[in-house]
Amino acid sequence: MAPHNDIVLFHYQFSPFAKRVVWYLTLRGIEYAQCLQPVYLPREDINALGVKYRRIPIMSIGRDIYCDTRLILQKLEEKFPHGALGASQPEQKAIEKLLESWTVDGGMFIRAAQTIPLEMPLLKDPKFTKDREDYSGRSWSQQDVKNLQPEGITHVRDGFEFLEKWLLADGRQWILKTEKPSLADIEAIWPFHWVLSLKSLPPTVVSKEKYPKVYAWIDRFNAAIASAKSSAPKPATLKGAEAVKHVMQADFAEPEGQVDVNDPLGLKKGQDVESWPVDSGFKHHDRGRLVSITPQEVVLASQSKVGGREIRIHHPRWNFRTRAVGTLGTKL
Ligand SMILES: N[C@@H](CCC(=O)N[C@@H](CS)C(=O)NCC(=O)O)C(=O)O
């Protein structure tokens, strides 16, 4: 059964981006359902929704579909303001946003992904490596993966240095000196948590002895998640058809927004547009009628493949491109 709040998270268990959202929902005790996805395309359930965006996770609330964890976390903060995990003071908010930018867009995730151990069985599956070539635009041949590893490890070590020597240097428990983990901790921790779980870093480079504060912070975070999990509602796991049916029967979660007349792209409400990420998964473009565009997001209305009902697809603006369909720009 999907929960009353209509939240469905489409993800797979070992996605470090999905963990950002799962941890957030767990720490807040927000009810949600999940629809587990294969680790590579095709993802029939997401196709059935009418969404072309290929990255994981996506989250639906009713017939509003949110792509990208930056937007998903922002929407959850807005929808459930009581007890929100985000900072309220501008200076702290700035730190939180800079940490998001550092890990999501600043290259830390890409570098962490370059450390994936060659022995990982998925790296020997040509379907997986071909899929990740489509996603990342780089070669995933055994040799190329091997060649990139030392550089990936060097950059990830730089992140450990930053955390140990500066951010956590004064012995604080949580990044913003809060009582419990806040959104800033989620924004900072996930690539480091991921590489430690992959056991992909040589102990001569990154170890508990070299980075005791970072390791202790990650241990504390795990304990906080375990404790929150014991009291949080357990997510229902929906089969694909069930999740899609639930989305299609639901209402929209948000009122229809406006098109910002001062937006630099100069697009008009109702115009056919396409939108897609430019940092990865860039070959998969969503198309639809422009519903709204603000500095934070662009929303397209598109027809689902099931029952033909309309869904609204939400993309963030940063590292996304939105163009009118049929203009020269769509070929870029
Ligand atoms: N900026 C996006 C990045 C999402 C992302 O790259 N997710 C990875 C999974 S961890 C992905 O989609 N990999 C390829 C795939 O699973 O298809 C976000 O914040 O959600």
Side-chain angles (χ1 to χ4, degrees), residues 95-106:
I95 294 173
E96 178 192 293
K97 291 307 278 181
L98 286 170
L99 289 170
E100 175 201 80
S101 176
W102 182 52
T103 56
V104 176
D105 298 306

Side-chain angles (χ1 to χ4, degrees), residues 198-220:
L198 288 172
K199 301 198 186 335
S200 60
L201 304 173
T204 46
V205 181
V206 171
S207 66
K208 205 170 199 149
E209 289 67 40
K210 286 181 193 291
Y211 300 105
K213 293 195 170 79
V214 184
Y215 274 70
W217 172 58
I218 294 177
D219 285 347
R220 265 194 306 280

Side-chain angles (χ1 to χ4, degrees), residues 12 15-17 39 43 54-56 68-69 104 132 135:
Y12 51 87
S15 155
F17 274 101
V39 290
R43 297 195 177 113
R54 68 145 295 168
R55 306 191 299 194
I56 289 291
D68 199 295
T69 60
V104 176
R132 287 317 193 254
Y135 158 80

Side-chain angles (χ1 to χ4, degrees), residues 40-56:
Y40 49 77
L41 305 187
R43 297 195 177 113
E44 302 300 353
D45 313 330
I46 293 175
N47 287 343
L49 288 177
V51 173
K52 293 279 192 312
Y53 177 83
R54 68 145 295 168
R55 306 191 299 194
I56 289 291

